[in-house]
């Protein structure tokens, strides 16, 4: 396989948020979930998003992935600005270019594991690449569970179905909301290793939310959110350097 040098491709932006704000509710109950966030997610880069519960991580990913509306600012995927799209065009862009691993899995209870994995492609009328699909299923360790429905699977297994579903169609950009949050450390390491390899070797772009410094250390960059704003960024993170930052934010939170 020949691939262009990563350095060349990493300068291309896969997704971008500019001055992105998301406000829920009005008046006294108003919550500013995102407060003028500007960020680029470069191609062939693995970005981890960290921050306290309620800091806006899921909201940021949902808005950038075109799954949620925003109050102001703009979002683009590649060259396409989401605000300029009609509903149908947005659905198509999401289906063709974006893979999403939800915090709550979002599996369909009446479909078995394999059907859940191939559902987005079935809807799009696309045939899965069998070889790729098999390697994804093997990587997540679901070969023996493909005929089971979500209720017959453990939480960790359901999460692996959700991971396989996002990877199956080889989207340009994958968003994962705590994609390894329910996995034991070995399965988690396998999924993270696979994501990182797909970034390194295939130029895949991945953005994932995590609370785990060890998971964040797989990333090329860690972005820290607090109160709907980006407050820090670390390149080439290690578990220790991430933990260090987290402690510093905690300390700030306690003294303020
Ligand atoms: N539908 C909604 N209506 C009102 N407020 C909301 C809604 N969804 C999220 N929020 C608020 O927006 C803020 C950001 O939420 P978000 O889910 O993005 O946080 P998070 O960083 O993903 O947290 P966690 O780590 O717990 O998943 C929170 O204060 C939350 O209460
Ligand atoms: Mg969340």
């Amino acid at each position: 396989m020949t691939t262009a040098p990563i350095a060349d491709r990493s300068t291309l932006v896969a997704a971008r948020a500019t001055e992105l704000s998301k406000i829920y509710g009005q008046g006294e109950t108003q919550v500013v979930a995102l407060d003028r966030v500007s960020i680029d997610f470069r191609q062939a880069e693995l970005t981890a998003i960290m921050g306290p519960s309620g800091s806006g991580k899921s909201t940021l990913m949902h808005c950038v992935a075109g799954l949620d509306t925003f109050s102001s600012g703009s979002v683009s995927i590649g060259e396409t600005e989401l605000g300029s799209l009609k509903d149908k065009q947005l659905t198509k862009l999401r289906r063709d270019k974006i893979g999403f691993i939800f915090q709550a899995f979002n599996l369909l209870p009446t479909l078995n594991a394999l059907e859940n994995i191939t559902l987005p492609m079935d809807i799009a009328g696309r045939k899965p690449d069998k070889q790729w699909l098999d390697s994804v299923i093997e990587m997540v360790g679901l070969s023996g569970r493909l005929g089971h429905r979500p209720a017959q699977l453990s939480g960790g297994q359901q999460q692996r179905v959700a991971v396989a579903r996002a990877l199956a169609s080889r989207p340009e950009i994958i968003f994962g909301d705590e994609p390894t949050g329910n996995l034991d450390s070995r399965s988690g390491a396998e999924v993270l290793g696979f994501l990182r390899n797909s970034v390194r070797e295939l130029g895949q772009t991945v953005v994932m939310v995590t609370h785990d410094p060890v998971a964040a250390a797989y990333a090329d960059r860690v972005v820290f959110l607090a109160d709907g704003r980006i407050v820090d960024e670390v390149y080439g993170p290690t578990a220790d350097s991430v933990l260090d930052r987290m402690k510093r934010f905690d300390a700030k939170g306690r003294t303020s």
Side-chain angles (χ1 to χ4, degrees):
M1 181 177 47
T2 54
T3 49
I6 298 292
D8 285 354
R9 290 185 303 187
S10 65
T11 54
L12 296 170
V13 173
R16 163 176 290 164
T18 310
E19 294 277 304
L20 182 66
S21 290
K22 169 84 180 176
I23 298 165
Y24 287 109
Q26 286 180 340
E28 296 216 329
T29 59
Q30 180 174 301
V31 175
V32 181
L34 293 177
D35 188 2
R36 289 162 293 158
V37 170
S38 294
I39 186 167
D40 284 355
F41 298 111
R42 281 176 290 277
Q43 256 179 42
E45 202 169 81
L46 173 51
T47 305
I49 299 178
M50 302 191 84
S53 182
S55 58
K57 304 179 298 295
S58 295
T59 306
L60 175 62
M61 285 218 304
H62 287 171
C63 289
V64 176
L67 292 165
D68 203 351
T69 57
F70 40 91
S71 310
S72 60
S74 65
V75 170
S76 51
I77 296 286
E79 302 283 298
T80 311
E81 205 166 299
L82 299 192
S84 69
L85 300 180
K86 299 201 173 66
D87 276 0
K88 259 195 181 157
Q89 295 170 309
L90 182 61
T91 306
K92 184 170 174 348
L93 175 127
R94 237 173 18 219
R95 210 170 57 195
D96 293 345
K97 300 205 164 166
I98 296 171
F100 206 101
I101 306 162
F102 291 92
Q103 195 164 7
F105 316 147
N106 281 14
L107 304 180
L108 284 190
T110 53
L111 301 184
N112 69 30
L114 180 61
E115 290 162 345
N116 263 294
I117 292 169
T118 57
L119 179 67
M121 281 178 289
D122 292 341
I123 292 173
R126 274 161 58 192
K127 277 230 171 325
D129 171 342
K130 174 105 179 44
Q131 223 180 344
W132 175 252
L133 188 62
D134 287 347
S135 67
V136 167
I137 287 167
E138 192 179 329
M139 182 275 302
V140 296
L142 281 170
S143 305
R145 290 285 181 281
L146 292 177
H148 290 59
R149 288 192 299 279
Q152 301 167 317
L153 298 170
S154 72
Q157 287 167 339
Q158 290 178 49
Q159 183 151 40
R160 286 186 261 163
V161 174
V163 169
R165 180 179 56 185
L167 290 165
S169 63
R170 312 185 82 155
E172 279 175 33
I173 179 162
I174 292 176
F175 295 94
D177 203 345
E178 300 188 46
T180 57
N182 287 287
L183 300 180
D184 60 80
S185 57
R186 191 173 140 259
S187 318
E190 262 170 30
V191 168
L192 290 164
F194 189 87
L195 288 174
R196 187 170 59 185
N197 283 348
S198 68
V199 170
R200 298 266 190 282
E201 288 161 25
L202 305 171
Q204 178 73 60
T205 308
V206 179
V207 182
M208 66 169 182
V209 169
T210 182
H211 288 283
D212 175 7
V214 175
Y218 280 79
D220 298 301
R221 164 175 80 142
V222 183
V223 173
F224 293 89
L225 278 185
D227 296 329
R229 290 192 200 144
I230 293 174
V231 290
D232 204 358
E233 226 177 334
V234 179
Y235 281 87
T238 63
D240 282 341
S241 68
V242 170
L243 198 58
D244 220 43
R245 296 284 159 135
M246 290 166 75
K247 279 187 195 148
R248 243 185 289 163
F249 292 135
D250 279 357
K252 266 188 216 160
R254 273 198 297 272
T255 51
S256 65

